[in-house]
Amino acid sequence: MTTMLSLANLAKLDEAVSVPSYARSELSPGILHIGMGNFHRAHQAVYLDRLFEQGEGHDWAIVGAGIMPFDADRRAVLQAQDWLSTVVEMGQDHRAARVTGAMVDFCEVVPAAVIARITDPAIRIVSLTITEGGYFMDAAGAFNVAHPDIRHDAANPDTPRTVFGILLAGLRARRAACHPPPAILSCDNIPGNGHVTRQALVGLAALVSSDLAAWIKAEVAFPNSMVDRITPATNDAARALITETYRIDDAAPVLCEPFAQWVMEDDFPLGRPALEKVGVEFVDDIDAYETMKLRILNAGHAALAYPSALLGYDIVHEAVADADVLRWVRHLIETDVIPVLQPIPGVDYHGYLASCLERFANPEVRDTIPRLCQDGSNRQPKFILGSVRDALAQGRSVDGLALEVALWCRYCATAKALNDPRADLLARAAKEAASRPTAFLELTDVFGALGQNATFAAAFADQMAALTSGDVRAALRAFAKTKAA
């Protein structure tokens, strides 16, 4: 027999499940979070839940928000269980279930409701997990002012349809009411995510009012942050585990690895929760830490994903158990990525890579290859192409990085269903690239000017030829053998 997750039933849950000792009635909102997916509930919400357990920061509870149909479905599910979530940490020698209570409300999924919450002076931080593709960046990293949704919000600032249009409307209303603006904190995997968030919001504001854009530049804080925790999508197996192991009826549980990291700049004019008490690192300059994570862990996931999919793997730890796949990922990062990174005092990049590979091998999380393969047109520029540019600038080989891009290309050409906003363009270009490799590099929304670089284009063509004439495993072995020589 299972117990429905709710505030009233917390005392009835299995004793193996940890539940909040703080009273939810004592919490009050301080953070509006847009994007209430699994990662946020396994990461930021968990850190705040831990802080509340220490009797700290009870005026920093989370109000959820969203603007997509998915968000309305998620809101309905969470409302039925009093905004509670079961988070289960899954490790080879560790498993712990916790009901988190840091979220106390969720706006109705209409722009006006979110704008009203942003206007509320009690909200001192607005945080975001809207995915890498949600920031309207072009291939060069600039704000895409020509995007139809941005043009709409610029012409109709009172009836926005994008997250940034909603943020702008809320800030306008807050300014009109003479309330100081909240800090806006991106928690997405983007280099310089605070800078990118500022770029998008100021870019949209400039299309509406130069005065408004100048005010945002001068008054709104956009701290950069780096977040890390492997959190797969919830599937039927995850729900069954929660039901069978913990006897909880939770429609939206979250499974994640035990490891979690959060590093950010301390730039919060209206204050912030004392998250340093629960393991958050506050630093003056986060750029090097972000780059390390994006180009080792996230790039490692990308390098793992496409050959694994092509070899027929569906589960991450099973792919990592393949010696050829593991050797390929390790060699690529060690020989083509780490050498172009700027050193961080006291940080061992090779040790960090080893810890990442150990995390990938965790059989309990059961992360999926399809999750890692999705949204490549937004992820590759951030995880892989930066290393290509740096390697070219330093006169280093880009053969391994070109092979990674070629594997992505082959995946795009052969996948039954691409989960990517540019799926049709990718599939057409990837199929043509089998006979004309430059066809894939001509996707300027992805590659920008890099696709015209003769050295990279030649390396990519060589790797495409090797994949076309041989097979994936042979290509992985050839690269590893060359690097080991």
Side-chain angles (χ1 to χ4, degrees), residues 46 180 224 304 366:
V46 166
N224 291 295
L304 172 71
R366 297 191 66 80

Side-chain angles (χ1 to χ4, degrees), residues 296-351:
I296 296 180
L297 184 138
N298 295 116
H301 263 156
L304 172 71
Y306 302 112
S308 298
L310 292 166
L311 290 169
Y313 288 109
D314 187 64
I315 304 298
V316 170
H317 77 266
E318 293 175 353
V320 176
D322 185 316
D324 290 327
V325 173
L326 178 60
R327 188 180 302 112
W328 143 252
V329 176
R330 181 185 292 116
H331 276 284
L332 175 71
I333 303 301
E334 286 183 341
T335 64
D336 284 32
V337 174
I338 289 176
V340 305
L341 291 175
Q342 294 297 315
I344 302 175
V347 174
D348 175 6
Y349 285 144
H350 294 279

Side-chain angles (χ1 to χ4, degrees), residues 8-28:
N9 288 340
L10 287 180
K12 302 176 184 177
L13 297 181
D14 190 291
E15 62 181 12
V17 181
S18 173
V19 300
S21 63
Y22 54 86
R24 278 280 297 276
S25 59
E26 295 177 358
L27 303 183
S28 59

Side-chain angles (χ1 to χ4, degrees), residues 132 186-191 193 227-228 293-294 298 382-383:
E132 297 89 348
S186 170
C187 298
D188 281 301
N189 282 319
I190 300 174
N193 55 14
V227 297
D228 190 8
K293 191 254 181 175
L294 292 168
N298 295 116
K382 300 167 184 66
F383 302 162

Side-chain angles (χ1 to χ4, degrees), residues 55-107:
E56 297 273 353
H58 286 188
D59 59 340
W60 288 104
I62 299 166
V63 174
I67 62 172
M68 305 296 289
F70 165 84
D71 297 311
D73 295 341
R74 177 56 52 83
R75 180 183 187 275
V77 166
L78 292 173
Q79 184 177 31
Q81 50 198 53
D82 298 324
W83 318 120
L84 299 171
S85 292
T86 309
V87 179
V88 183
E89 296 179 356
M90 306 283 289
Q92 297 190 54
D93 302 309
H94 169 85
R95 180 178 291 183
R98 165 81 179 174
V99 172
T100 60
M103 179 181 173
V104 296
D105 199 0
F106 196 134
C107 301

Side-chain angles (χ1 to χ4, degrees), residues 6 15 41 45-46 67 91 97 129 135 137 173 177 207 244 270 324 331 341 374 381 415 426:
S6 68
E15 62 181 12
R41 292 183 298 129
V46 166
I67 62 172
T129 47
Y135 290 80
M137 289 187 291
L207 299 175
E244 295 167 6
L270 302 185
D324 290 327
H331 276 284
L341 291 175
Q374 69 186 16
L426 288 170

Side-chain angles (χ1 to χ4, degrees), residues 434-470:
S435 58
R436 189 174 70 86
T438 54
F440 198 63
L441 302 185
E442 288 167 2
L443 292 169
T444 55
D445 280 357
V446 176
F447 293 98
L450 183 60
Q452 302 169 22
N453 181 279
T455 301
F456 179 57
F460 176 73
D462 288 345
Q463 299 297 348
M464 283 297 298
L467 285 174
T468 302
S469 62

